[in-house]
Amino acid sequence: MSEAPSAPGAQVRSRGKSASEQPCYGALDLGTNNCRLLIASPAGSGFRVVEAYSRIVRLGEGLSQSGRLSEAAMDRALAALKVSAEKVRRRRVVRLKAIATQACRMADNGQAFVDRVAEETGLKLQIITPREEAQLSVAGCLNLLDRSAAAALVVDVGGGSTELSWVDLSDEGFDGDPGRLAPGQLPIRAWLSVPIGVVTLAERFPEGEVATEGWFRQMVETVKAEIAAFRRADPMRELFEADRAHLIGTSGAITSLAGMHLGLRRYDRARVDGIWMSRQECDAAAGRLLALSARERAEQPCIGPDRADLVLAGAAILQAVQELWPCSRVRVADRGLREGILMSMMSERGGRRRRRRRRGPRRAAAA
């Protein structure tokens, strides 16, 4: 999928120095299914994207059965990480945060793989906790929160896990510049990490020759059983029942659903990121996908062969959430962890500069 040249809500041109003179920051996210890199420079209260890279590596392929990362999967991920490392060096990134998520958390050899990555690429991956993952996902979607609503549920559908974060939009912290809030300061009232993502769900429920409604419902009910037992978000339920809340869905599967809904002949991030879909439109897009064969799904320009066997699992996860936490509106996000990492690093940079100014006229060090 193509990447937009700049982050929505951020300024394309920064004040003072030109974009080429601004320091570059890097965010790398090695997930269960994808390896994604985003390099950006500060621009006002946001950032300008300098370079973006994404490759499907399926690091978690077979992990749910074996408990280990396979040699083939690690080789695929390493190839993408070597490309990423070269881009980081070429762009002279002054600060990089590289994270690994569910696959490396879950695998018996996850830490050994991280050590191998450091040795072969120079990249030092940090295996983050599910809580950190949820916080960073919300931070990456801040510009898409509808402040006229009372609450939002951010749903980050990954390859090996799904993070759900219930956000209080009436919190006074949003009255200033929410982009300056560190991820840990965001008004997330409850969060849940479910160890089910598109890869693990698709492996648990192989499609067979024909995708059937019964097979799809099995996936939906499995996800619902995991989420329904979680009760810490119950104090916010009345806001959802009164339709004073909305969903934000971030994942390749959800953006693929949006591309189907829009009837795009080729994926266009600028048209997908930030669009609103009704509950009925989400259900209709999932129904159209279910009516297609695996080959027909692979031929869809917003899906392709790499996602053809995963997109219905993503649709099932989204539907499970919608049935348990009904909202009339879903906002689609082609953004997430990487953007959250960048905003986090840049908010830290801004905080350090403000503290230095308060101490006196001493010259500020580089971020």
Side-chain angles (χ1 to χ4, degrees), residues 79-218:
L81 290 167
K82 288 175 181 177
V83 173
S84 299
E86 176 56 32
K87 292 180 181 295
V88 167
R89 285 189 288 269
R90 181 164 49 83
R91 293 291 184 178
R92 299 180 181 178
V93 169
V94 298
R95 188 175 175 196
L96 171 73
K97 184 167 184 176
I99 64 166
T101 55
Q102 181 68 7
C104 289
R105 284 196 296 259
M106 178 180 173
D108 293 338
N109 58 341
Q111 185 59 53
F113 174 65
V114 166
D115 295 340
R116 179 182 169 190
V117 169
E119 181 179 348
E120 295 190 22
T121 71
L123 296 172
K124 296 181 180 179
L125 290 170
Q126 174 189 356
I127 302 176
I128 64 171
T129 66
R131 183 184 183 90
E132 290 174 292
E133 187 172 354
Q135 290 172 340
L136 288 169
S137 295
V138 174
C141 295
L142 282 179
N143 287 337
L144 298 183
L145 294 171
D146 179 3
R147 294 297 311 285
S148 69
L153 173 52
V154 178
V155 184
D156 181 5
V157 182
S161 66
T162 297
E163 275 63 49
L164 298 95
S165 303
W166 287 261
V167 183
D168 181 1
L169 297 180
S170 65
D171 189 273
E172 62 182 12
F174 280 117
D175 293 338
D177 180 3
R180 295 301 183 188
L181 293 175
Q185 298 174 320
L186 295 170
I188 300 173
R189 298 295 177 241
W191 69 276
L192 171 67
S193 181
V194 179
I196 297 175
V198 293
V199 174
T200 50
L201 190 62
E203 288 181 347
R204 185 170 175 180
F205 294 95
E207 182 175 337
E209 293 184 8
V210 179
T212 65
E213 179 65 30
W215 163 80
F216 184 76
R217 285 305 311 177
Q218 278 187 301

Side-chain angles (χ1 to χ4, degrees), residues 333-353:
D334 188 348
R335 59 175 81 188
L337 283 176
R338 296 175 304 166
E339 290 81 1
I341 292 169
L342 288 170
M343 294 303 293
S344 174
M345 288 192 292
M346 291 177 189
S347 69
E348 292 170 7
R349 167 182 174 269
R352 285 198 298 270
R353 287 186 173 179

Side-chain angles (χ1 to χ4, degrees), residues 248-290:
I248 289 183
T250 170
S251 81
I254 294 174
T255 55
S256 294
L257 273 180
M260 285 280 293
H261 164 67
L262 292 172
L264 299 180
R265 294 186 177 181
R266 64 185 298 275
Y267 186 80
D268 184 348
R269 183 184 188 273
R271 293 188 61 186
V272 169
D273 183 58
I275 72 160
W276 290 97
M277 293 178 65
S278 68
R279 169 74 185 279
Q280 292 74 21
E281 288 169 338
C282 291
D283 290 346
R288 288 199 296 273
L289 279 176
L290 195 57

Side-chain angles (χ1 to χ4, degrees), residues 9 13 22 39 53 68 116-117 128 223 225 327 347 353 360:
R13 294 181 180 177
Q22 288 290 314
I39 298 174
Y53 170 74
R68 296 179 61 82
R116 179 182 169 190
V117 169
I128 64 171
V223 178
C327 293
S347 69
R353 287 186 173 179

Side-chain angles (χ1 to χ4, degrees), residues 289-305:
L289 279 176
L290 195 57
L292 299 176
S293 67
R295 176 180 292 182
E296 289 170 332
R297 287 199 301 274
E299 293 171 350
Q300 291 294 313
C302 293
I303 300 174

